[in-house]
Amino acid sequence: MSATKTHMRREIEEIPEATARLLDGSGAVLTEAGRGIRERDPHFIVTVARGSSDHAATFMKYAVELTAGLAVASVGPSIASIYGAKLRLAGSACLAISQSGKSPDIVAMAQAAKAGGSLTVAITNTADSPLARVSDYAIDILAGPELSVAATKTFVNSAVAGLALMAHSTGDDKLLAALARLPEHFRKAIACDWMAMAGALETPRSLFILGRGPSSAFANEAALKFKETCAMHAEAYSAAEVMHGPLALVGPGFPVLALAARDASEPSVAEAADALAGKGAAVFVTSDKAKSALSLPHVATGHPLTDPLTLIVSFYGFVEAFARHRGLDPDLPPNLRKVTETV
């Protein structure tokens, strides 16, 4: 690999600026859309997304259920595009997330949701996209062009936009203040060095990535990025569920990354990390509460919903560096392309 920075590395370093640009440049429409949701007073929320965007939607599921008291369900885009089913969504709000805003199945499901009585909000990095045009509100995440196949700044901005939308709809001033502080926290998160994990990943064929609550969404995102950029298998699990069936795969030296945020789940994630370390696994955890697992540097944000975001930013920095360490180009994963338009 050349000493020149990869697109992925440059885009990771752009995350603080991109987040600040989103909160400033799309602040008005986030406020307006939040007000629209509040006036609709939905009984439930549905999300429509695929891939990394679906991980952002899963994060929003936890955030909304924990703070707004609304149940959130993910709707498969193929329900509309392939099966042509009509859902009764009166009294709901629909959050559709797509970086390109062009995938036909996402657009079709957003249209179907609107026809079924849902208030639709698009979160996209393409202001004049088909998804934006068919939705009641369109949030431009303003991440700027993303050239690396592996999404980083667009994922983070999608998740931040979702949190800001929720904060405006519920009048959560503490969350809005925490979001405003994120650019500085992201700068610190980028500087966290997780290459201490590299040695444990030299020979194994798989990696477990754990989370719980909101951080479980980022465990899924991290596993996807690890597969995309490092040509190695990774699988995400709840820190509670890993102690059941998946435990059969864990033996001496088996690598495990546990993403613990500063929220109510941190003690249980640290406990699971220590239990796996006790079985000989090579366990790394973003917590100081673990006794046997190795603690990785991490950035606390002072808010339980923004804390998981700094963890994925630190992971992005690691996975880009580890891919290059393996002699791979993280910008050009084999068999993949930047935009996938699913029917």
Side-chain angles (χ1 to χ4, degrees):
M1 289 288 296
S2 163
T4 304
K5 283 184 182 179
T6 63
H7 291 310
M8 186 177 181
R9 180 66 195 183
R10 282 195 296 269
E11 288 158 7
I12 292 167
E13 292 176 353
E14 289 168 10
I15 288 173
E17 180 185 350
T19 299
R21 188 165 56 241
L22 161 67
L23 295 172
D24 180 42
S26 287
V29 69
L30 283 163
T31 302
E32 181 185 2
R35 185 185 306 116
I37 293 174
R38 184 167 63 251
E39 291 172 353
R40 173 62 63 99
D41 191 19
H43 302 303
F44 61 99
I45 306 289
V46 294
T47 63
V48 183
R50 287 198 186 279
S52 284
S53 294
D54 198 36
H55 300 153
T58 301
F59 174 61
M60 284 309 302
K61 170 183 170 67
Y62 279 102
V64 171
E65 290 178 348
L66 286 170
T67 63
L70 294 174
V72 182
S74 172
V75 177
S78 60
I79 291 295
S81 64
I82 296 294
Y83 297 102
K86 292 179 172 57
L87 300 179
R88 296 190 295 272
L89 297 176
S92 74
C94 172
L95 185 64
I97 307 175
S98 170
Q99 296 158 32
S100 70
K102 295 195 300 183
S103 192
D105 57 347
I106 303 294
V107 176
M109 191 62 241
Q111 288 176 307
K114 189 173 183 178
S118 190
L119 179 75
T120 52
V121 181
I123 293 180
T124 175
N125 199 38
T126 311
D128 190 35
S129 63
L131 180 63
R133 291 195 295 270
V134 303
S135 300
D136 293 309
Y137 297 97
I139 312 299
D140 185 349
I141 64 172
L142 297 172
E146 190 172 62
L147 301 178
S148 176
V149 169
T152 53
K153 62 178 181 172
T154 54
F155 172 82
V156 172
N157 268 24
S158 294
V160 171
L163 282 184
L165 180 66
M166 185 186 75
H168 283 296
S169 68
T170 59
D172 191 336
D173 291 334
K174 288 184 178 179
L175 179 54
L176 288 171
L179 291 170
R181 294 191 295 268
L182 270 178
E184 183 55 36
H185 290 311
F186 285 155
R187 291 184 187 96
K188 295 176 182 177
I190 291 168
C192 289
D193 184 358
W194 289 7
M195 282 300 283
M197 290 195 293
L201 295 168
E202 294 294 349
T203 55
R205 291 181 294 178
S206 189
L207 165 69
F208 280 0
I209 305 180
L210 313 182
R212 195 160 189 191
S215 69
S216 66
F218 295 122
N220 280 288
E221 168 65 6
L224 174 63
K225 290 299 184 290
F226 191 75
K227 287 180 277 197
E228 281 182 340
T229 60
C230 297
M232 290 177 62
H233 182 259
E235 193 159 3
Y237 286 106
S238 159
E241 293 171 359
V242 75
M243 302 309 293
H244 299 284
L247 192 61
L249 297 177
V250 176
F254 191 99
V256 178
L257 168 61
L259 299 177
R262 265 35 59 204
D263 67 9
S265 72
E266 183 180 9
S268 65
V269 176
E271 182 180 349
D274 280 341
L276 292 169
K279 298 184 181 302
V283 186
F284 303 85
V285 61
T286 58
S287 173
D288 298 324
K289 296 183 181 297
K291 297 179 176 62
S292 304
L294 180 65
S295 178
L296 293 171
H298 51 276
V299 176
T301 67
H303 194 290
L305 288 180
T306 55
D307 230 61
L309 287 160
T310 60
L311 301 182
I312 198 62
V313 170
S314 295
F315 178 83
Y316 285 156
F318 161 73
V319 79
E320 187 275 342
F322 186 65
R324 290 187 290 105
H325 173 75
R326 285 174 55 83
L328 302 171
D329 183 351
D331 289 338
L332 297 170
N335 306 320
L336 299 178
R337 58 180 179 171
K338 182 63 184 171
V339 177
T340 302
E341 296 185 12
T342 311
V343 177

